[in-house]
Amino acid sequence: MSLFWSVIRQLAEIEAMATSKKVITRDEWEKKLNDVKIRKEDMNKLVMNFLVTEGYVDAAEKFRMESGTEPDIDLATITDRMAVKKAVQSGNVEDAIEKVNDLNPEILDTNPQLFFHLQQQRLIELIRNGKVKEALEFAQEELAPRGEENQSFLEELERTVALLAFEDVKNSPVSDLLDISQRLKTASEVNAAILTSQSHEKDPKLPNLLRMLLWAQNQLDEKAAYPRITDLFTATLEDPAI
Amino acid sequence: MPGSASTTHRPEGLIDRLRSAAADGGEAKFKVLRELKNQIIGNRTKKLSYIKLGAVPSVVSILSSASSSVDCLLIQCAATIGSFACGVDAGVKAVLDAGAFPHLINLLSHSNEKVVDAGARALKMIYQSPSAPKYDFTQPKNIEFLTSLLDKTNENVTGLGATIITHSCQTPTEQTLLSNAGVLKKLIHLLHATSPQRDASLESFATIIKQNPHVITNHVGPQNGSTFRTLLDLTKDRYPRTRLLACVCLTLIKNATSSAYVESVGMRTKLILVLLELVEDGGQVGDEALFTLSRFIEDDEGLQKLAFEANTVDKLCQQMVKESLQGKRLEGLFTALGSICSNLESCRSIVLQSPKALTVITEGLTHTTTEVRIAACICLKNVSRSVKYLSAGHFMTEAVIMPVIQLLYDASTSVQVAALCTVSNLVVDFRTHKSLFVQSGGVKQLVELSKSMESSVRLNAVWALRNLMFLIDNRCKEEIFMDIKLFPLTRLISDSNACVQEQALGLVCNLVNGPGPMDSMMYLFTEDGILLNTVGRELRKASRTQVLVQAMYVMCNVASGKELEKEAVMRQLVNEEDAQSIIVSLLQSEVASLRTAVVWTVVNLTVPTGAGALARVVKLRNAGVVSQLKNMVNDPCLDVKLRVRTALGQTMTFGDFST
């Protein structure tokens, strides 16, 4: 009997806690925010990191001159990397492969999966351009040996060659391969591999920080009402709902 | 354009153009080299076919004749050579045979950093292959060159230096040479650089300190606290491979010395937890983490306890029941599980209570890869050390025994040895379940293997037979003895390998020991007592203590028999032509266990009942045995002391003739 009552009391306490959340007013919140000192240089580094990773070479160059922030990578390599990315995005895969090899021959020699995906993209482009004979030859000579080395490559290869089997590819189960998103996928894979080879992170830090901000706000929502940021573009503080 | 693709991409066409370009020179060289390079990068098949067509010497000849001012040509040559050497052993051989090595080394001192990059990359590829020649560290100028590489800022060049060390440093002398030359310090310095440099440096750091307590004490000891902190920090690195390599270095330090740093429990637990987290990585890092964990905890019960408390066994069992695991992963899991179960019963219970773990292990016994079969076998052996489950007949099921017996027929000697060790363990307590093993042809194959030319196979086969012979009934003894046969057994007793002798004598001991000794004693007396004679000969001849102990226990067992047996033992041990009886000389041994065995035999021989009792005592007294015993009434070994008194008491029954 007593156990039952103690459980009920605990539940009541939890409910009380949930309803009486702590309220933090805009003034208090802004005061707290002002107490946090973030160095300008650190902010600039974050921006530079974003520009470099995403490949905005002109913006990075301008930002360097304006803010005096040194990029952690040779800006010339960004131009090369962007050229590779662009080549894949516009379907010139052979050109992209040659450019990667000029940049660093180790990348494709030590990354079989990436190499396969680029060759697969080459095959897709041949099929897209209606070069059936060439496509078959290419699949047989270049891709089939990779399939023998790796089971999952073989499955992907079979799926790609299936493109040739459909009259109306757009309505086939493999239509996604011809989609522009497939090019973008391959392009971002190459981009990431080049960045890794330059001992640079694949992803910029800024989006991660935003994700952390959202997570922290969600945690805090359970405990308090406070001016939160909902619109990340403007980063305006909204008055707490009481 | 589309039509031409198939002809130019064909190796034969390109090789012709390459040959003529190499001969004529000019602009064509660059173009054809770049084309070749783009053909072979990432493409193993093409590499092999171009190597076969003899492309490598042509490329090297272009490199050797190129002027050092044509940077772009040098880069294409180096990149192409590097790609031939990447991941293809035949390529490494072709590149070295064509004499590329000195030309590539020359590129390292080029003024253009891109040329240096290309040269260093190509050399690195060569040294990443096991078929590359060993770098000679004993030449002072070679060490000088190596340290100059590590001092550069170019990450490909420092990476090359680290790769050379990882590839070529194998002996303790080489480790000492390198550490005395300050290489460890330079590598530690590189740990603060970019991530590929870090990984390469950690790997070669591990190579230099591996199993070398001397190098560790002198160069990584507590006085170098900063090294330690750097390594510790790297166990929290962003990249899994870096975390793994830092753990490898720390475990190597721990396993070689009792450094105060790694002694703290918190630190050891932390290492185990980092490694366990890395196991979650599905790739190579996860596999290597398993082996590192296993090496870390083997031979150290304290660490095994810590690993147990960190839920290691549960995590390994969870990993093990996952679908379609690769060979390397299975091998790692079995090895780690085997290590942690080698001492602790609590770990074995978890494995044996896990619904599928034992099934996965026994399935591993028939895996296509040799290493996996060995690892599964050793794992099963350690798990089956559980007396509780062993005596409950937990392992004597067809699912377990059949694949183990099958492994006794394996083509690989290492698998056979592992399987024999497992059998040895499984058959110790066997009384109620032995029929399955015998019926499945296990004994016949053990006997077959006891005749192997390979002494490790022979040894473990005899060992297994010895354990099989332990405490079984006479009918079974007879069956097994019929398989072993008399003469082969005598040959094993006088084997060239003392360890085999020891196990063979142990086998004879078990044969004549146990329930109903009278019946089994006869084996020693058939064929004019050849078996007993052989044992007696070894007693006079052998030098290894354990052989003598086992041989003496055979005598001791026989001496517990009736008059006939006692007299036979007397004939073996007391020979009037000997200057000194072997009983006396063996009683003077410094090894207590041997003295114990001898005194027990004397006790059995001097039992005061039986027609020949008095005669035996007289003979022993004349041989000087009684006076030797009198010197031993205060033997430091309690067991010896007590039995000496028993023996003396028995000789006195017939009166003291010592006056």
Side-chain angles (χ1 to χ4, degrees):
Chain A
M1 199 57 187
S2 67
L3 182 70
F4 174 74
W5 283 114
S6 83
V7 169
I8 290 291
R9 204 172 58 227
Q10 271 181 21
L11 282 173
E13 271 170 15
I14 291 168
E15 213 169 66
M17 267 162 61
T19 46
S20 66
K21 273 201 283 195
K22 191 178 178 190
V23 179
I24 306 167
T25 63
R26 178 183 281 267
D27 281 350
E28 284 175 288
W29 193 249
E30 282 183 342
K31 210 174 144 257
K32 276 186 201 292
L33 286 180
N34 284 335
D35 286 344
V36 183
K37 296 272 176 281
I38 297 172
R39 296 194 316 153
K40 182 88 178 155
E41 296 83 44
D42 290 339
M43 297 288 270
N44 284 346
K45 268 194 196 153
L46 268 180
V47 174
M48 185 54 102
N49 171 277
F50 178 79
L51 295 175
V52 164
T53 316
E54 293 293 307
Y56 300 115
V57 62
D58 293 338
E61 181 60 43
K62 272 223 171 76
F63 187 67
R64 183 173 75 99
M65 293 202 298
E66 282 173 16
S67 69
T69 311
E70 281 304 321
D72 53 359
I73 203 168
D74 183 3
L75 286 181
T77 64
I78 301 180
T79 319
D80 295 333
R81 178 160 53 90
M82 285 305 110
V84 174
K85 205 172 159 185
K86 219 175 134 195
V88 179
Q89 280 169 352
S90 51
N92 299 323
V93 187
E94 196 172 355
D95 185 36
I97 291 179
E98 288 176 9
K99 284 194 162 79
V100 177
N101 288 343
D102 280 339
L103 213 55
N104 180 350
E106 269 179 83
I107 296 176
L108 295 183
D109 240 344
T110 53
N111 198 338
Q113 179 156 331
L114 173 64
F115 181 69
F116 176 81
H117 284 153
L118 280 168
Q119 297 285 64
Q120 181 193 25
Q121 191 66 45
R122 251 177 104 175
L123 179 62
I124 293 171
E125 300 305 337
L126 286 173
I127 296 173
R128 192 199 311 277
N129 297 332
K131 295 176 181 166
V132 177
K133 185 168 161 281
E134 247 187 279
L136 280 174
E137 237 175 56
F138 183 76
Q140 203 174 352
E141 278 186 28
E142 303 281 336
L143 285 164
R146 306 286 86 71
E148 280 172 28
E149 289 160 15
N150 184 314
Q151 181 62 32
S152 67
F153 292 172
L154 188 63
E155 282 158 25
E156 286 188 65
L157 174 60
E158 282 166 354
R159 210 167 160 266
T160 315
V161 175
L163 283 172
L164 291 165
F166 293 98
E167 291 258 326
D168 178 15
V169 178
K170 291 234 160 23
N171 292 314
S172 75
V174 288
S175 63
D176 57 304
L177 290 173
L178 285 182
D179 199 81
I180 195 73
S181 66
Q182 178 70 22
R183 278 186 183 172
L184 296 182
K185 208 171 100 186
T186 312
S188 101
E189 204 183 330
V190 191
N191 187 50
I194 299 175
L195 278 170
T196 307
S197 79
Q198 294 165 343
S199 26
H200 200 281
E201 287 136 74
K202 297 184 296 217
D203 305 303
K205 292 190 167 99
L206 215 46
N208 261 338
L209 278 175
L210 291 179
R211 247 174 258 139
M212 279 163 74
L213 171 73
L214 292 178
W215 180 85
Q217 289 194 145
N218 287 340
Q219 297 288 309
L220 195 56
D221 281 344
E222 318 237 317
K223 300 186 178 74
Y226 60 96
R228 85 195 288 287
I229 299 178
T230 309
D231 184 353
L232 289 175
F233 276 99
T234 56
T236 41
L237 295 175
E238 288 172 4
D239 283 324
I242 306 162
Chain B
M1 180 67 184
S4 70
S6 56
T7 48
T8 51
H9 283 175
R10 199 134 286 155
E12 288 80 5
L14 187 60
I15 206 85
D16 287 341
R17 290 198 288 132
L18 178 70
R19 288 224 177 86
S20 59
D24 310 341
E27 292 293 305
K29 280 186 199 162
F30 175 78
K31 206 167 156 262
V32 73
L33 271 176
R34 188 159 180 266
E35 206 177 319
L36 174 62
K37 180 191 78 177
N38 287 325
Q39 290 259 322
I40 61 168
I41 285 182
N43 195 328
R44 207 184 138 79
T45 341
K46 286 249 171 91
K47 281 180 197 179
L48 288 171
S49 59
Y50 278 111
I51 292 166
K52 225 172 174 177
L53 289 167
V56 178
S58 304
V59 180
V60 175
S61 93
I62 297 178
L63 174 64
S64 66
S65 61
S67 142
S68 66
S69 60
V70 202
D71 296 3
C72 58
L73 192 61
L74 296 176
I75 292 172
Q76 294 303 327
C77 281
T80 313
I81 293 172
S83 182
F84 272 123
C86 177
V88 182
D89 282 345
V92 176
K93 192 175 176 303
V95 164
L96 293 170
D97 287 349
F101 202 80
H103 301 298
L104 292 172
I105 293 278
N106 280 341
L107 297 183
L108 296 182
S109 45
H110 200 279
S111 58
N112 183 340
E113 204 64 9
K114 289 213 161 115
V115 177
V116 178
D117 269 339
R121 274 196 191 114
L123 286 164
K124 205 167 67 183
M125 290 303 175
I126 295 174
Y127 276 112
Q128 270 167 6
S129 155
S131 52
K134 229 178 112 136
Y135 191 87
D136 184 3
F137 297 113
T138 54
Q139 301 282 329
K141 68 173 190 341
N142 282 358
I143 291 267
E144 209 175 290
F145 178 71
L146 183 69
T147 50
S148 78
L149 295 181
L150 295 176
D151 282 334
K152 294 278 183 343
T153 47
N154 184 314
E155 70 174 40
N156 285 309
V157 177
T158 54
L160 168 63
T163 309
I164 291 177
I165 296 170
T166 309
H167 171 270
S168 294
C169 175
Q170 285 154 355
T171 67
T173 322
E174 288 165 336
Q175 291 173 321
T176 309
L177 268 172
L178 286 170
S179 47
N180 287 346
V183 168
L184 285 175
K185 268 203 191 71
K186 290 185 198 296
L187 290 172
I188 290 290
H189 181 70
L190 287 169
L191 293 182
H192 301 286
T194 62
S195 97
Q197 273 174 311
R198 227 177 6 237
D199 289 359
S201 308
L202 281 170
E203 230 176 320
S204 71
F205 186 84
T207 311
I208 299 178
I209 64 168
K210 193 176 185 180
Q211 287 164 358
N212 196 328
H214 184 71
V215 165
I216 293 174
T217 337
N218 287 340
H219 299 274
V220 216
Q223 75 277 13
N224 297 296
S226 67
T227 305
F228 233 89
R229 274 190 296 279
T230 311
L231 289 174
L232 264 183
D233 282 345
L234 289 177
T235 61
K236 292 174 239 156
D237 194 85
R238 187 156 22 111
Y239 295 102
R241 179 148 187 86
T242 310
R243 293 204 294 276
L244 170 72
L245 290 169
C247 285
V248 169
C249 290
L250 287 168
T251 55
L252 283 173
I253 295 173
K254 155 71 189 78
N255 285 357
T257 62
S258 54
S259 161
Y261 285 93
V262 207
E263 276 309 293
S264 84
V265 172
M267 158 91 199
R268 295 150 141 234
T269 307
K270 193 179 169 271
L271 268 177
I272 292 171
L273 289 173
V274 174
L275 285 168
L276 275 181
E277 196 197 309
L278 286 167
V279 170
E280 304 285 324
D281 179 299
Q284 205 191 347
V285 168
D287 298 347
E288 284 180 35
L290 285 167
F291 291 105
T292 310
L293 177 66
S294 164
R295 274 193 300 271
F296 186 42
I297 62 171
E298 69 182 359
D299 309 325
D300 188 332
E301 199 175 325
L303 279 170
Q304 288 160 11
K305 277 213 180 80
L306 286 181
F308 168 69
E309 282 157 15
N311 282 336
T312 305
V313 186
D314 293 297
K315 283 187 185 148
L316 294 177
C317 286
Q318 280 163 22
Q319 282 270 329
M320 216 157 65
V321 296
K322 282 188 185 164
E323 292 289 309
S324 61
L325 292 172
Q326 298 286 312
K328 238 333 132 319
R329 176 57 54 122
L330 280 172
E331 187 194 340
L333 285 168
F334 293 151
T335 311
L337 210 54
S339 286
I340 198 171
C341 288
S342 58
N343 292 306
L344 301 176
E345 182 69 17
S346 43
C347 296
R348 294 176 200 135
S349 310
I350 296 181
V351 176
L352 292 168
Q353 280 163 20
S354 141
K356 275 181 74 187
L358 190 59
T359 317
V360 178
I361 298 170
T362 47
E363 278 168 6
L365 296 171
T366 54
H367 198 272
T368 48
T369 316
T370 311
E371 286 74 22
V372 178
R373 293 200 297 278
I374 295 177
C377 217
I378 294 172
C379 183
L380 177 62
K381 180 189 80 182
N382 287 351
V383 171
S384 68
R385 277 184 182 161
S386 165
V387 176
K388 185 176 137 201
Y389 286 90
L390 198 58
S391 53
H394 201 78
F395 303 97
M396 276 302 149
T397 62
E398 267 185 40
V400 178
I401 286 300
M402 296 312 274
V404 176
I405 290 180
Q406 206 49 48
L407 290 185
L408 296 176
Y409 294 88
D410 203 282
S412 150
T413 310
S414 323
V415 175
Q416 286 183 327
V417 171
L420 285 168
C421 291
T422 311
V423 169
S424 281
N425 218 25
L426 292 177
V427 299
V428 170
D429 196 293
F430 205 39
R431 273 164 287 182
T432 46
H433 312 279
K434 72 195 155 301
S435 55
L436 180 60
F437 187 82
V438 178
Q439 280 160 15
S440 316
V443 178
K444 285 210 164 51
Q445 181 60 9
L446 287 181
V447 170
E448 209 45 55
L449 293 177
S450 73
K451 296 169 191 155
S452 165
M453 298 287 281
E454 196 73 47
S455 63
S456 60
V457 174
R458 210 160 62 234
L459 168 66
N460 286 293
V462 181
W463 201 325
L465 284 167
R466 172 193 179 172
N467 287 353
L468 189 59
M469 200 65 99
F470 182 63
L471 294 180
I472 52 170
D473 63 48
N474 285 333
R475 204 177 49 78
C476 268
K477 275 182 188 171
E478 195 182 334
E479 261 176 57
I480 298 171
F481 188 79
M482 298 271 271
D483 280 328
I484 305 177
K485 294 196 178 70
L486 185 60
F487 290 101
L489 185 55
T490 58
R491 275 198 294 279
L492 286 170
I493 292 171
S494 24
D495 197 278
S496 57
N497 182 326
C499 299
V500 176
Q501 288 186 298
E502 181 193 338
Q503 297 307 326
L505 286 163
L507 194 163
V508 176
C509 249
N510 286 345
L511 178 70
V512 296
N513 198 2
M518 287 309 131
D519 292 330
S520 47
M521 207 78 91
M522 63 180 185
Y523 300 116
L524 288 163
F525 294 99
T526 49
E527 298 283 339
D528 296 331
I530 178 170
L531 203 49
L532 191 64
N533 285 336
T534 316
V535 177
R537 197 164 57 236
E538 286 311 318
L539 264 180
R540 287 188 287 274
K541 206 173 75 176
S543 53
R544 192 181 150 95
T545 318
Q546 280 311 310
V547 174
L548 293 169
V549 171
Q550 290 299 336
M552 192 43 93
Y553 273 121
V554 174
M555 292 299 172
C556 183
N557 281 341
V558 180
S560 71
K562 299 212 172 91
E563 284 300 295
L564 180 72
E565 284 84 18
K566 287 189 177 20
E567 283 306 317
V569 173
M570 284 299 288
R571 279 195 297 279
Q572 294 296 333
L573 299 182
V574 186
N575 191 333
E576 268 141 28
E577 288 157 26
D578 286 344
Q580 188 185 34
S581 161
I582 45 166
I583 299 187
V584 175
S585 55
L586 293 177
L587 277 173
Q588 288 165 352
S589 162
E590 287 178 359
V591 184
S593 62
L594 181 53
R595 294 202 301 278
T596 312
V598 185
V599 178
W600 265 115
T601 313
V602 176
V603 168
N604 283 346
L605 288 173
T606 53
V607 172
T609 52
L614 177 60
R616 281 193 294 275
V617 171
V618 172
K619 258 190 201 162
L620 288 169
R621 189 185 305 278
N622 292 342
V625 173
V626 175
S627 51
Q628 173 61 31
L629 286 177
K630 282 183 178 161
N631 292 336
M632 295 167 71
V633 285
N634 285 317
D635 195 275
C637 170
L638 186 64
D639 205 11
V640 175
K641 187 168 140 181
L642 291 175
R643 297 310 144 212
V644 162
R645 285 160 193 239
T646 313
L648 280 175
Q650 292 184 155
T651 59
M652 306 264 205
T653 327
F654 302 99
D656 191 351
F657 301 92
S658 65
T659 43

